[in-house]
Amino acid sequence: MSERPHVVEFKNVRQIFNIGTPREYLAVTDLNFQVADLEGKGELISMLGPSGCGKSTILNLIAGYRGYVPPTEGQVLVFGKSVTGPGPDRGMVFQKYSSFPHLTVLDNVKFGLNACNRGKPEERTDMAMAWIKKVGLGGHENKYPRQLSGGQQQRVALARSMVLRPRIILMDEPFSALDEPTRIEMQRLLVELWHDVEATVFMVTHSIAEAVYLADRVWIFATQPGRLAVEITDALPPSRGDDPLSSQERSDFKEAVQLVTHEFQRVNP
Ligand code: ADP
Ligand code: MG
C-alpha cells in the first residue's frame, strides 16, 4: 500500500448551520469517504442529489471557505491535513460569476498567478495566454466577461482555475446554465484539459447523463439530513475519453443512466 495521504478524506463529518439559534439546521451528517492519490491520474467524482442535500456545503468544506471550516463535527482532510482555509491546491468553478467583471479575460486568468506569486512576473502573461488558448479563447483575451457568451465565460473560469495547476478542482454545477450543445462542448473540453492537469475533480451536476459520462464514481445524496446514500463505480461504462455525443448514444451508456436514475429515485422517493 502506498504511503501517500488521501487527496481528500472526510471522517464522520456533520455540518450544523446557525448552531444554538432558532434557525439551527443539520445540513449534512455521517460523511465518511476517501479519495486516494493515484499516481498520474486524477479521479472525477460526480455528485447528484436533490436541492438542499448539502452538495455545495461539501465543496465549500473542501475549499475551506469561512463559515464552513472547521466542520461542526468530524474532520475534513486534504492531503492528510485538516482544512483551515482556502489554498492554491484547490480551485473552484461556480455555475456563474467565477470571474471578476472589471478585469479582462487575460487579467482574470493572471489574477491567481499574481495573487499566489506563481512564476516570474514577466512570464505570467505567457502562462495565462497558454491556458486562454487551451480553452479556445485565443483572440478574446482583451474582452471583459460581459462581452462573452455563457459558454465562453465558463471557459474563462476553467482557465482561471487550471492555470494554477490545482490538485483538486471543485465544480458547482459548472455547466447547468448552458444550453445543451454548449454543455456538450464544455464536457468535451473538460475531458481534454484534464489530461493536462491530472487533478481530482468533484463535480456537482443535475444531469445524470453528464454525471455518468464524466465520472469514475457517481455519488447520490439523499436529503433531510443531507447524506451520501449511494456510490456507483462498477456500473459506469468507460466513456470519458470518447466523444460525448456518440458515447452517450451507446446502449451500455444508456443502461448506466437508467441504473443511476433508478438509484436516485430509490434513495429520494
Ligand atoms: P445543495 O448544494 O445540495 O443544494 P447546500 O449545500 O447549498 O445544498 O445547502 C444544504 C443546506 O444547508 C440548505 O438547507 C442550505 O440552506 C443550508 N446552508 C448551506 N450553507 C449555509 C450557510 N452558510 N448558512 C446557513 N445555512 C446554510
Ligand atoms: Mg448547491
Side-chain angles (χ1 to χ4, degrees), residues 20-259:
T21 78
R23 291 184 299 128
E24 183 167 306
Y25 185 76
L26 172 61
V28 285
T29 190
D30 294 320
L31 292 175
N32 283 290
F33 59 80
Q34 294 108 31
V35 180
D37 191 5
L38 307 173
E39 189 91 53
K41 178 186 178 289
E43 266 192 280
L44 192 145
I45 297 156
S46 293
M47 300 162 67
L48 291 166
S51 183
C53 69
K55 304 177 298 294
S56 297
T57 298
I58 292 169
L59 297 191
N60 292 335
L61 281 164
I62 300 171
Y65 291 150
R66 199 152 38 124
Y68 291 87
V69 290
T72 316
E73 285 176 33
Q75 278 183 292
V76 174
L77 304 168
V78 168
F79 294 108
K81 297 204 178 95
S82 279
V83 173
T84 55
D89 56 341
R90 285 152 285 150
M92 178 78 93
V93 176
F94 298 102
Q95 183 178 346
K96 282 184 161 184
Y97 315 119
S98 297
S99 303
F100 294 114
H102 63 285
L103 296 180
T104 63
V105 169
L106 178 60
D107 287 336
N108 261 293
V109 179
K110 276 171 74 174
F111 183 86
L113 295 173
N114 291 332
C116 301
N117 204 17
R118 281 292 175 85
K120 298 196 184 105
E122 64 273 19
E123 289 169 357
R124 288 180 194 151
T125 298
D126 288 347
M127 291 164 77
M129 279 308 299
W131 275 97
I132 289 168
K133 286 177 188 148
K134 278 189 213 189
V135 299
L137 288 180
H140 297 282
E141 59 272 12
N142 295 321
K143 292 188 180 165
Y144 289 87
R146 65 172 182 278
Q147 298 173 297
L148 303 174
S149 70
Q152 288 173 323
Q153 289 182 21
Q154 288 311 79
R155 288 171 190 263
V156 179
L158 284 175
R160 275 187 63 125
S161 174
M162 290 189 173
V163 73
L164 293 172
R165 302 213 156 253
R167 299 292 309 278
I168 300 169
I169 301 175
L170 306 163
M171 306 183 87
D172 202 346
E173 305 184 34
F175 310 145
S176 297
L178 306 176
D179 57 65
E180 189 66 12
T182 308
R183 175 194 278 263
I184 298 276
E185 277 318 302
M186 295 302 289
Q187 292 169 3
R188 201 193 305 272
L189 175 68
L190 179 64
V191 168
E192 224 177 84
L193 297 180
W194 195 4
H195 286 300
D196 239 14
V197 292
E198 286 169 357
T200 297
V201 181
F202 291 85
M203 176 166 176
V204 174
T205 175
H206 286 295
S207 160
I208 292 180
E210 180 167 279
V212 169
Y213 171 66
L214 291 170
D216 299 289
R217 313 191 203 182
V218 172
W219 285 351
I220 303 173
F221 290 85
T223 192
Q224 287 181 335
R227 60 204 186 276
L228 177 50
V230 186
E231 174 176 86
I232 297 170
T233 49
D234 296 353
L236 302 177
S239 53
R240 189 167 75 206
D242 306 344
D243 176 70
L245 270 183
S246 51
S247 62
Q248 294 180 23
E249 288 300 316
R250 283 189 342 233
S251 63
D252 61 340
F253 186 88
K254 288 183 177 165
E255 276 165 32
V257 169
Q258 265 175 21
L259 175 109

